[in-house]
Amino acid sequence: MKLADLAQQIGGELAGDGSVDVTGVSPVDDVKPGHVTLADSEEHFAQAEASAAAAIVVSIEVAQSRKPMIRVKKTTLALAKMLAIFHPPQKPEPGVHPTAFIGRDVSLPASVHVGANAVVKDRASIGERSVVDAGAVVGERVVIGADCFIHSNATLYRDIRLGNRVVIHSGTVVGSDGFGYAQEGRTRVKVPQVGTVVIEDDVEIGANVAIDRSTLGATIIKRGTKIDNLVQIAHNVVIGEDTVVCGLAGISGSVTIGDNVTIAGQVGMADHISIGSNATIGAQSGVSKSLDGGQYYLGSPAVPIGLASRQYAVWANLPELSKRVRELEKRLDELKPR
Amino acid sequence: MKLADLAQQIGGELAGDGSVDVTGVSPVDDVKPGHVTLADSEEHFAQAEASAAAAIVVSIEVAQSRKPMIRVKKTTLALAKMLAIFHPPQKPEPGVHPTAFIGRDVSLPASVHVGANAVVKDRASIGERSVVDAGAVVGERVVIGADCFIHSNATLYRDIRLGNRVVIHSGTVVGSDGFGYAQEGRTRVKVPQVGTVVIEDDVEIGANVAIDRSTLGATIIKRGTKIDNLVQIAHNVVIGEDTVVCGLAGISGSVTIGDNVTIAGQVGMADHISIGSNATIGAQSGVSKSLDGGQYYLGSPAVPIGLASRQYAVWANLPELSKRVRELEKRLDELKPR
Amino acid sequence: MKLADLAQQIGGELAGDGSVDVTGVSPVDDVKPGHVTLADSEEHFAQAEASAAAAIVVSIEVAQSRKPMIRVKKTTLALAKMLAIFHPPQKPEPGVHPTAFIGRDVSLPASVHVGANAVVKDRASIGERSVVDAGAVVGERVVIGADCFIHSNATLYRDIRLGNRVVIHSGTVVGSDGFGYAQEGRTRVKVPQVGTVVIEDDVEIGANVAIDRSTLGATIIKRGTKIDNLVQIAHNVVIGEDTVVCGLAGISGSVTIGDNVTIAGQVGMADHISIGSNATIGAQSGVSKSLDGGQYYLGSPAVPIGLASRQYAVWANLPELSKRVRELEKRLDELKPR
């Protein structure tokens, strides 16, 4: 591919010779000859200049370069686009593998791939070009939209609904029973979980995630939200659009999360609270009550970052603070004994 | 179903016309016509009154209602019972799916269901009416009691024993090797994990849980205990009866937990400690030493809630406390310079 | 087996009658007749003396015993060796199960076992004597070394490379897409994850772990490292040799961890940091910046244990400290009103 074409496809501005051939994209610390690399800092730019790169994609101001360049606003976005160009997604061929099992009354267009030893149960419906990879299990009456990818050994319980372009990674479970019991004496009586899970368009869910079905109604993950590995999403949770939930976070029952929220790794949330849109919650925070949108929170319990920073600043010097109090007591005792 | 029959079946007291027909149960914020709904607060009662509900199940004192009512002590217990009535559990038909694989000398009554592409290995034994759903793997010599449900893609390693009415959700692994190594120089020499896991009657285990087999003897989960998703239970752990372990909690090796303990989400426990019966451990707590039963603990390290509350109260104002110490130093310096 | 032979095989020093027969190894609190048991404390030694044990393996100084003994330096190492002797690992017979599916151009020696309903995709290569157990999925072009064990329902995505003697427990996912998105307006554009995962010799990975493939290059787990259950390892992480990562720990993207590091349970790490060799990080710590090797760290944020201990000591008495400040204010007010 010519560099000029690449510049156009990623929406960048060409600077230098657009006729050079580029054959791939490399990280700046390990550039293969003929590849493009990226620089978002002076240090990386110097590395890129010294490398075997055929061209450099830059987001910083640089006067000039020995190599042709593509100027972009964000290198991560340019990287995303270039990787999609040089490494188009590998999708298995359409068709149902002979070892897969397809139940009765399943809606299954010819463009769908169902992998080896996968199972699609009765009355499920799978949209055009979707993939149910090896060993995955799709429950009764599950509805999967178009262009979805259910990776190997993922499990969708019965009656789940997925929009279009939804990706579910391996080991992930969608639609297991919510953790609901009523106490009768000491016995826990199971509250049957008869609701469902709805996952909207363009959601991607990592590996070994657990998303419980609701008691009644639906657990909902809205359009464009991305969920990392090993996340727990309890019953009746509603997560808004374009939200990000990082690894090992735990969202308790009936929590409502707005749009464009960022939830960092290992965050925990108490049940029945709500998080406003555009909030960010720092790693390992414990959210014990509802939080307004648009702010950055940190800590356990989570508080606005300004307060949290001051708390952690004192915490860092807590032994010192304790000594100073002892010193004050001594001085005061000398001045006026108790 | 007549309301009077429903009242009787859930053990509630009818107030009003018992002859009305009820066709289901709805949450109070989304009531379908003909359904019963529930009210455990004045606010919910007002909502229920204004809704299309055919009748209201109430746990609070209400003088009267425009609708017939069933009075109960706990709405959650009533909900559990009504959902079980209106949504009887969906169990697959008895029989072994032609794509399932059954090993040699397996004990498998005709009432058992083994799903598509499931595997039951040699000399396993499965009790009456139990279900091994699609893609689940049951190891050699595993004993499963009656009326169990092993959900899709769950894995039971060899020699595990399950009681009756045990539910294992998808992706859960029971009997993987405990994390035991002996150091020899810098190399970690594996301590073979030759014990097992015993899960007693009426235990329910969520999705993507990991329960390790013991080094010797058994990891034990006793009768009636409920375990949420993504919980780690290490080797040689013993969990008592009617205990609840919430999502993403981690129980380290050789921990002993009593009966009726509540362990909230993301709690961690050091190894070789014990937790007394009827203890409650708040979310994200880190338990570093054994705790007496009957108390509520919180924090990392976890301490009784009374102390924890005072700790967190000071923490909330820690920047203020630091300022006050500085102020004291200034005042004292003015009074008597150092 | 004669005790004298056992002593020799585990590298211990025989004391007493080496001709006694020993038939197994038991924990000190539940000794079967004819078994060896272990004592690493006076208390355990007294228990062992009083037990039905045929002999005692001791690591402490004991003057004499009624029973023959084997003296060793570390009982855990002796236990590891004795368990390996009395409980040799159970490996399934070589051969491909008729219900397994093997893709095209797979390299599969006759010594390999592929279990029921397992899937090995096109162009994968599996080394001598390795096991791919029931329901496991091995992706396209995956290379697995000799003597590996991929447990049931584990999933290896395409193009992953495993060394020799690697053990992957059930439910674990290796090679899922890293959690990388570039923001374009509010939309998250996926950064294609076109790298891989390399797992070196003698690595053992617990159940329901998630290890993401790198964006470019490789996520790497080096020789001898052991990973517990439910651990999250993000893209581009490099973990050194002989390192230990305990349950529910989360390693964020591009973290580099040295050799012989110990990472306790539920530890979290910010992305792009590095941890020096021989470091130990205590349970539930949150590591927000790079840490030097050779030290013990604790807390969130993690600091050297000396500071952490002093911080937690003050924390334990924080309500008291607050009271003392109030008292100081009162005394100073009395001395010199504000």
Side-chain angles (χ1 to χ4, degrees):
Chain A
M1 174 178 277
K2 297 292 173 200
L3 187 65
D5 295 337
L6 184 64
Q8 194 181 19
Q9 283 188 40
I10 69 171
E13 183 196 337
L14 180 70
D17 180 6
S19 72
V20 299
D21 281 311
V22 288
T23 57
V25 55
S26 285
V28 75
D29 57 355
D30 183 22
V31 180
K32 295 204 180 75
H35 277 208
V36 191
T37 192
L38 303 101
D40 58 359
S41 69
E42 307 245 327
E43 187 195 339
H44 285 165
F45 184 72
Q47 267 186 286
E49 280 270 293
S51 79
I56 310 175
V57 172
V58 288
S59 60
I60 53 165
E61 281 295 318
V62 288
Q64 59 173 43
S65 169
R66 294 187 303 106
K67 295 178 193 287
M69 297 189 294
I70 301 175
R71 296 183 200 278
V72 298
K73 281 195 196 135
K74 289 168 77 171
T75 52
T76 49
L77 186 56
L79 177 64
K81 291 177 176 176
M82 290 192 295
L83 286 172
I85 290 164
F86 290 114
H87 304 263
Q90 298 179 22
K91 272 184 61 170
E93 295 294 304
V96 174
H97 197 276
T99 61
F101 174 74
I102 309 294
R104 278 163 303 192
D105 302 320
V106 168
S107 168
L108 200 74
S111 60
V112 164
H113 171 90
V114 182
N117 288 326
V119 174
V120 180
K121 295 193 180 176
D122 298 352
R123 290 189 290 292
S125 165
I126 303 186
E128 293 286 351
R129 296 170 303 279
S130 284
V131 173
V132 176
D133 212 339
V137 175
V138 175
E140 293 87 353
R141 296 172 302 277
V142 166
V143 177
I144 297 178
D147 298 299
C148 291
F149 204 125
I150 313 302
H151 283 273
S152 294
N153 284 333
T155 305
L156 308 184
Y157 280 57
R158 63 184 167 79
D159 295 306
I160 303 306
R161 296 174 62 92
L162 269 57
N164 302 312
R165 298 172 302 280
V166 172
V167 178
I168 309 272
H169 283 279
S170 291
T172 283
V173 175
V174 180
S176 41
D177 284 353
F179 196 60
Y181 303 92
Q183 231 167 330
E184 188 169 32
R186 251 168 93 158
T187 306
R188 318 268 166 175
V189 178
K190 185 177 176 69
V191 180
Q193 304 290 308
V194 306
T196 184
V197 180
V198 173
I199 297 180
E200 296 186 357
D201 295 349
D202 300 301
V203 168
E204 182 162 7
I205 296 173
N208 283 338
V209 168
I211 303 180
D212 281 347
R213 65 192 320 112
S214 62
T215 311
L216 290 159
T219 303
I220 304 172
I221 317 283
K222 293 192 181 163
R223 190 198 49 72
T225 281
K226 312 297 183 187
I227 294 174
D228 200 358
N229 302 334
L230 292 161
V231 169
Q232 148 76 341
I233 296 179
H235 53 174
N236 302 66
V237 165
V238 177
I239 301 184
E241 301 187 351
D242 297 313
T243 278
V244 167
V245 184
C246 295
L248 291 161
I251 316 293
S252 296
S254 301
V255 166
T256 301
I257 297 173
D259 300 336
N260 196 37
V261 173
T262 300
I263 297 167
Q266 292 180 327
V267 165
M269 291 194 190
D271 53 7
H272 286 91
I273 64 173
S274 65
I275 309 294
S277 292
N278 308 305
T280 297
I281 301 172
Q284 292 192 326
S285 293
V287 187
S288 55
K289 58 191 180 66
S290 294
L291 298 178
D292 290 337
Q295 288 198 62
Y296 193 122
Y297 300 90
L298 187 67
S300 183
V303 294
I305 187 73
L307 175 54
S309 299
R310 293 194 302 274
Q311 287 172 329
Y312 283 106
V314 180
W315 168 261
N317 295 303
L318 204 54
E320 187 60 28
L321 186 70
S322 172
K323 264 191 218 161
R324 285 162 58 196
V325 170
R326 206 172 323 134
E327 183 62 26
L328 279 167
E329 287 169 339
K330 256 194 253 170
R331 290 175 65 193
L332 204 50
D333 283 352
E334 283 166 17
L335 209 62
K336 180 169 183 258
R338 274 185 254 220
Chain B
M1 173 178 278
K2 297 291 175 198
L3 187 65
D5 296 335
L6 183 65
Q8 195 181 16
Q9 284 188 38
I10 69 172
E13 183 197 335
L14 181 69
D17 180 6
S19 71
V20 298
D21 282 312
V22 287
T23 57
V25 54
S26 284
V28 74
D29 57 354
D30 183 22
V31 180
K32 295 204 180 74
H35 276 208
V36 191
T37 192
L38 303 101
D40 59 0
S41 69
E42 307 245 327
E43 187 195 338
H44 284 166
F45 184 72
Q47 266 188 285
E49 280 270 293
S51 79
I56 310 175
V57 173
V58 288
S59 61
I60 53 166
E61 281 295 318
V62 288
Q64 61 173 43
S65 169
R66 293 187 305 106
K67 295 177 192 287
M69 296 190 294
I70 301 175
R71 296 183 199 279
V72 298
K73 279 194 198 138
K74 287 169 80 170
T75 52
T76 49
L77 186 57
L79 176 64
K81 291 177 175 177
M82 290 192 295
L83 286 173
I85 290 165
F86 290 113
H87 304 263
Q90 298 180 23
K91 272 184 62 170
E93 295 293 304
V96 175
H97 197 276
T99 60
F101 175 74
I102 309 293
R104 278 163 302 192
D105 303 319
V106 169
S107 168
L108 199 74
S111 60
V112 164
H113 170 91
V114 181
N117 288 326
V119 174
V120 180
K121 294 192 179 176
D122 298 352
R123 291 188 288 292
S125 165
I126 303 186
E128 294 285 351
R129 297 170 303 280
S130 283
V131 172
V132 176
D133 212 339
V137 174
V138 175
E140 292 88 353
R141 297 172 300 279
V142 167
V143 176
I144 297 178
D147 297 302
C148 291
F149 204 124
I150 313 302
H151 282 274
S152 295
N153 284 334
T155 304
L156 308 184
Y157 279 58
R158 64 185 165 78
D159 296 304
I160 302 307
R161 297 174 61 91
L162 268 57
N164 302 313
R165 298 171 302 280
V166 171
V167 178
I168 310 272
H169 282 280
S170 292
T172 282
V173 175
V174 180
S176 40
D177 284 353
F179 196 60
Y181 303 92
Q183 232 167 329
E184 187 170 32
R186 251 167 94 159
T187 305
R188 319 267 167 179
V189 178
K190 183 175 177 74
V191 180
Q193 305 290 308
V194 305
T196 183
V197 181
V198 173
I199 297 181
E200 296 186 358
D201 294 349
D202 299 303
V203 168
E204 181 162 8
I205 297 173
N208 283 338
V209 168
I211 302 180
D212 281 348
R213 66 193 318 113
S214 63
T215 311
L216 290 158
T219 303
I220 304 173
I221 318 281
K222 293 192 180 162
R223 188 198 52 70
T225 282
K226 313 296 183 189
I227 294 174
D228 199 359
N229 302 334
L230 291 162
V231 169
Q232 148 76 341
I233 296 179
H235 53 173
N236 302 66
V237 165
V238 177
I239 301 184
E241 301 187 349
D242 297 315
T243 278
V244 166
V245 184
C246 295
L248 291 161
I251 317 294
S252 296
S254 301
V255 166
T256 300
I257 297 174
D259 299 337
N260 197 36
V261 172
T262 301
I263 297 166
Q266 293 181 326
V267 166
M269 290 195 189
D271 53 7
H272 287 90
I273 64 173
S274 66
I275 309 293
S277 292
N278 307 305
T280 297
I281 301 172
Q284 293 193 325
S285 292
V287 187
S288 55
K289 58 191 180 68
S290 294
L291 298 178
D292 290 337
Q295 288 199 62
Y296 193 121
Y297 300 90
L298 185 68
S300 182
V303 294
I305 186 75
L307 174 53
S309 298
R310 293 194 302 276
Q311 288 172 329
Y312 283 107
V314 181
W315 168 261
N317 295 303
L318 204 54
E320 187 60 29
L321 186 71
S322 172
K323 264 191 219 161
R324 285 162 58 196
V325 170
R326 205 171 324 133
E327 183 61 26
L328 279 166
E329 288 169 339
K330 255 194 254 170
R331 289 175 65 192
L332 205 51
D333 282 353
E334 283 167 16
L335 208 61
K336 181 171 183 260
R338 277 185 251 221
Chain C
M1 173 179 279
K2 297 292 174 201
L3 187 65
D5 296 337
L6 184 65
Q8 195 181 19
Q9 284 188 39
I10 69 171
E13 184 196 336
L14 180 70
D17 180 5
S19 72
V20 299
D21 282 313
V22 289
T23 57
V25 54
S26 285
V28 75
D29 57 354
D30 182 22
V31 179
K32 295 205 179 71
H35 276 208
V36 192
T37 192
L38 303 101
D40 58 359
S41 69
E42 308 245 325
E43 188 194 339
H44 284 166
F45 184 73
Q47 266 187 286
E49 280 272 291
S51 78
I56 310 175
V57 173
V58 288
S59 61
I60 53 166
E61 281 296 317
V62 289
Q64 60 172 41
S65 170
R66 295 187 302 106
K67 296 179 193 286
M69 296 190 293
I70 301 175
R71 296 185 200 277
V72 297
K73 282 197 196 133
K74 287 168 80 171
T75 53
T76 50
L77 186 56
L79 176 63
K81 291 177 174 176
M82 291 193 293
L83 287 173
I85 290 164
F86 290 114
H87 304 264
Q90 299 179 20
K91 272 184 62 171
E93 295 294 304
V96 175
H97 197 276
T99 60
F101 174 74
I102 309 293
R104 279 162 302 190
D105 303 319
V106 168
S107 168
L108 200 74
S111 61
V112 164
H113 170 90
V114 182
N117 288 327
V119 174
V120 181
K121 295 193 180 176
D122 298 352
R123 291 188 289 292
S125 165
I126 303 186
E128 292 286 350
R129 297 169 302 280
S130 284
V131 172
V132 176
D133 212 340
V137 175
V138 175
E140 292 87 352
R141 297 172 301 278
V142 167
V143 177
I144 297 178
D147 298 300
C148 291
F149 204 125
I150 313 302
H151 283 273
S152 295
N153 283 334
T155 305
L156 309 183
Y157 280 58
R158 64 184 167 79
D159 296 304
I160 302 307
R161 296 174 63 91
L162 268 58
N164 301 314
R165 299 172 300 281
V166 172
V167 178
I168 309 272
H169 283 278
S170 292
T172 283
V173 175
V174 180
S176 40
D177 284 352
F179 196 60
Y181 302 93
Q183 230 166 332
E184 187 169 32
R186 253 167 92 159
T187 306
R188 318 268 167 176
V189 178
K190 184 176 176 73
V191 180
Q193 304 289 309
V194 306
T196 184
V197 181
V198 173
I199 296 180
E200 296 186 358
D201 294 350
D202 300 301
V203 168
E204 181 162 8
I205 297 174
N208 283 338
V209 168
I211 302 180
D212 281 348
R213 65 192 319 112
S214 62
T215 311
L216 290 160
T219 302
I220 304 172
I221 317 282
K222 292 190 180 162
R223 190 198 49 73
T225 281
K226 313 296 183 188
I227 294 175
D228 200 358
N229 302 334
L230 291 162
V231 169
Q232 148 75 341
I233 296 179
H235 54 175
N236 303 66
V237 165
V238 177
I239 300 184
E241 300 186 352
D242 297 314
T243 278
V244 166
V245 185
C246 296
L248 291 162
I251 316 294
S252 296
S254 302
V255 166
T256 300
I257 296 174
D259 299 337
N260 196 36
V261 173
T262 300
I263 297 167
Q266 293 181 327
V267 165
M269 291 194 189
D271 53 7
H272 286 90
I273 65 173
S274 65
I275 310 294
S277 291
N278 308 305
T280 297
I281 302 173
Q284 292 193 326
S285 293
V287 187
S288 54
K289 58 193 180 67
S290 294
L291 298 178
D292 290 337
Q295 287 199 62
Y296 193 121
Y297 300 89
L298 186 68
S300 183
V303 294
I305 187 73
L307 174 55
S309 299
R310 294 193 303 275
Q311 287 171 330
Y312 283 106
V314 181
W315 169 261
N317 296 302
L318 204 54
E320 187 60 28
L321 186 71
S322 172
K323 263 191 219 159
R324 284 160 60 195
V325 170
R326 207 171 321 135
E327 182 62 26
L328 279 167
E329 288 169 339
K330 255 195 254 169
R331 289 175 67 192
L332 205 53
D333 282 351
E334 283 165 15
L335 208 62
K336 179 167 185 263
R338 274 185 252 222

